[in-house]
């Protein structure tokens, strides 16, 4: 009997410990920058979206801590999914490269504008919404339903000041708090 109580106590402590760790991880992420994330503005032609993107700005997050020179590269896979390769340079645009390899699938009935992306095996997929993009696919604004994450992407590492200002204004028009944006060095 004492042994059963001990096992229950240890299991309970482990459960509470896990909950506290998850809560701590959750609190490390950015606060919500948009309480009412809109649906994507238009359809996405995946073949035109594929290729190399440069991160112009983002909401800070734990998985990109201390990252500069951030890029994302998307390509079709033989199995119908999309390969995702995110690369960052630690500390500066010339810092050591760190890459993450993942995969994405298009959400049915989303006009190609919603994807589910996984970097952590077959069971966990995060939401990736292309909220808006240029008609010629030279820029893209990406978020997800919670409003905690936002990425502003361009095809050039250093877009013009005019384009940069327009992208920030567009993110603001989508309801995002642009004072939370962190601009990426390239």
């Amino acid at each position: 009997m004492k042994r059963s109580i001990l096992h229950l106590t240890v299991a309970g402590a482990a459960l509470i410990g896990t909950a506290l760790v998850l809560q701590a991880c959750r609190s490390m992420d950015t606060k919500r920058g948009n309480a009412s994330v809109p649906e994507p503005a238009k359809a996405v032609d995946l073949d035109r979206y594929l290729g190399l993107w440069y991160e112009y700005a983002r909401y800070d997050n734990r998985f990109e801590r201390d990252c500069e020179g951030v890029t994302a590269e998307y390509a079709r896979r033989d199995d119908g999914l999309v390969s995702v390769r995110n690369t960052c340079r630690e500390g500066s645009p010339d810092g050591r490269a760190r890459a993450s390899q993942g995969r994405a699938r298009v959400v049915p009935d989303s006009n190609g504008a919603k994807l589910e992306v996984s970097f952590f095996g077959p069971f966990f997929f995060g939401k990736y919404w292309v909220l808006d993009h240029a008609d010629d696919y030279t820029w893209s604004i990406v978020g997800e339903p919670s409003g905690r994450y936002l990425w502003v992407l361009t095809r050039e590492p250093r877009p013009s000041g005019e384009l940069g200002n327009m992208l920030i204004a567009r993110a603001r028009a989508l309801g995002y708090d642009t004072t939370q944006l962190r601009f990426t060095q390239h």
Side-chain angles (χ1 to χ4, degrees):
M1 182 69 168
K2 285 183 182 181
R3 189 173 202 176
S4 296
I5 292 172
L6 178 61
H7 283 293
L8 287 174
T9 304
V10 170
L15 185 61
I16 291 169
T18 300
L20 290 173
V21 167
L22 289 174
Q23 184 61 35
C25 288
R26 195 173 295 131
S27 68
M28 287 172 37
D29 279 337
T30 61
K31 60 185 175 185
R32 185 179 302 202
N34 189 343
S36 184
V37 176
E39 287 290 315
K42 50 190 151 183
V44 171
D45 177 344
L46 187 60
D47 288 325
R48 295 184 71 196
Y49 194 81
L50 298 175
L52 182 64
W53 290 93
Y54 295 88
E55 182 184 85
Y56 174 67
R58 70 175 181 262
Y59 277 179
D60 250 340
N61 58 69
R62 72 180 178 279
F63 47 88
E64 285 184 282
R65 189 142 349 268
D66 200 32
C67 283
E68 301 296 346
V70 179
T71 61
E73 191 163 7
Y74 306 98
R76 284 209 184 264
R77 293 174 21 154
D78 291 338
D79 62 3
L81 298 177
V82 174
S83 70
V84 180
R85 181 178 174 85
N86 290 343
T87 304
C88 91
R89 300 278 178 174
E90 294 180 351
S92 75
D94 298 321
R96 185 175 69 89
R98 184 176 75 207
S100 302
Q101 196 73 35
R103 67 192 184 297
R105 59 187 179 209
V106 176
V107 173
D109 301 320
S110 70
N111 288 320
K114 294 180 181 179
L115 292 95
E116 294 175 328
V117 180
S118 178
F119 292 95
F120 307 110
F123 305 111
F124 178 79
F125 281 85
K127 295 176 185 335
Y128 179 101
W129 290 8
V130 180
L131 297 170
D132 200 3
H133 63 83
D135 292 338
D136 62 0
Y137 291 82
T138 54
W139 59 264
S140 160
I141 298 174
V142 176
E144 46 68 61
S146 80
R148 286 185 169 88
Y149 300 97
L150 177 67
W151 293 272
V152 179
L153 307 174
T154 60
R155 295 292 191 174
E156 299 176 42
R158 292 178 199 93
S160 70
E162 181 180 338
L163 177 58
N165 290 336
M166 184 281 298
L167 289 169
I168 301 313
R170 182 65 187 129
R172 189 178 307 113
L174 291 170
Y176 285 89
D177 177 357
T178 56
T179 65
Q180 291 187 43
L181 282 172
R182 177 202 185 284
F183 294 88
T184 307
Q185 297 175 38
H186 283 281

